[in-house]
Amino acid sequence: MSLLQTRGLTKAFGGLHAVQDVDFDLPEGEVRALIGPNGAGKTTFVGMLCGRVAPTAGAVRFAGADISRLPAHRRIREGMAYTFQITSVFARLSCRENVALAVRRRKGDAAREVPAALARVGLGDRADQLAGDLSYGHQRLLEIAMGLAQKPRLLILDEPTQGLADSEIEGFVALVREVRAEATVLLIEHNMSVVMDTADRITVLNFGEVLAEGTPEEIHADGRVQDAYLGTGDA
């Protein structure tokens, strides 16, 4: 069963189609990577999934229900969580307080769940540090902790390894493998090593359209993908 589905999803800005007629199915329990060159429409597509960008045409369905007109906060309530390409933590609050906000949103046990979420992303020893004082990479990890604290059915991660050290990327890969047991994951990522190590299947966008879809092995061997993306140096 598809947890997330789009049909004919389109976004036009004036005469420019950033996303054009995309049909997309994400089964529950899968880790799906979304890749493509810069300007392929990935961020716009994800914005429509999350409710931050209104589609020009088409539909988004989540857990069998049409959510095309639901605002972003309602989609979160329905079981979506997402991190942004640009971090959106509360800089003047501590790491603990940032994650506590996510836990309290669903009326969870902050005293127990906040330390656990921070520990999962490797920030257990930074609970009292102000989020604004963290490095960019650690802010990314904090945002992931906030997403996990919501206990979502679908976790959307937009460029999560940007700014992470190699050792932290290894930890992130292990985390995704662990999270897949409790949530479906949609990963928008330029680091192809991370994509190949974590994804069950990959969807490739190019010029706002689906160019290819398949297993990591199939995508790596696809000549169209090589020409449009993997061979360009953007990976």
Side-chain angles (χ1 to χ4, degrees):
M1 170 184 166
S2 290
L3 177 63
L4 180 69
Q5 182 183 79
T6 73
R7 288 294 179 267
L9 199 62
T10 298
K11 181 61 181 180
F13 297 97
L16 173 67
H17 282 82
V19 175
Q20 176 68 50
D21 199 29
V22 170
D23 293 344
F24 179 81
D25 289 272
L26 178 57
E28 191 152 19
E30 183 174 293
V31 176
R32 176 72 61 88
L34 181 67
I35 68 170
N38 292 331
K42 302 185 298 295
T43 297
T44 301
F45 178 67
V46 170
M48 289 190 286
L49 299 181
C50 298
R52 297 177 63 84
V53 175
T56 303
V60 181
R61 298 184 67 85
F62 182 67
D66 189 332
I67 63 168
S68 305
R69 297 184 180 277
L70 285 186
H73 71 273
R74 287 285 305 280
R75 299 187 197 202
I76 292 172
R77 194 180 307 164
E78 294 299 317
M80 281 189 180
Y82 48 87
T83 68
F84 300 107
Q85 192 171 14
I86 301 173
T87 57
S88 60
V89 298
F90 297 97
R92 296 185 179 182
L93 298 181
S94 69
C95 295
R96 186 194 313 278
E97 290 167 328
N98 268 273
V99 178
L101 288 173
V103 172
R104 288 169 186 151
R105 177 178 291 163
R106 59 174 181 77
K107 301 179 180 177
D109 180 358
R112 178 176 59 85
E113 296 180 33
V114 170
L118 288 171
R120 290 184 78 180
V121 301
L123 295 178
D125 60 346
R126 297 177 181 268
D128 295 317
Q129 187 171 347
L130 290 180
D133 292 340
L134 295 174
S135 68
Y136 180 79
H138 285 165
Q139 288 184 21
R140 308 287 301 170
L141 293 174
L142 176 59
E143 202 173 28
I144 293 170
M146 294 167 68
L148 291 172
Q150 295 175 45
K151 296 194 180 301
R153 292 185 67 180
L154 171 64
L155 180 61
I156 302 175
L157 303 172
D158 195 352
E159 301 289 354
T161 66
Q162 188 176 356
L164 297 186
D166 289 344
S167 60
E168 292 168 335
I169 290 175
E170 291 176 10
F172 171 78
V173 168
L175 178 63
V176 170
R177 290 172 177 163
E178 175 188 321
V179 168
R180 67 180 305 154
E182 60 198 70
T184 303
V185 177
L186 177 59
L187 176 68
I188 301 87
E189 180 58 64
H190 271 95
N191 186 321
M192 289 306 298
S193 294
V194 171
V195 169
M196 295 297 175
D197 285 346
T198 58
D200 298 307
R201 292 178 64 80
I202 300 171
T203 299
V204 185
L205 283 186
N206 193 38
F207 296 113
E209 299 180 342
V210 175
L211 173 67
E213 196 167 84
T215 65
E217 294 76 17
E218 290 168 341
I219 293 301
H220 191 268
D222 192 308
R224 296 169 302 164
V225 179
Q226 291 282 351
D227 291 341
Y229 183 52
L230 297 180
T232 66
D234 286 334

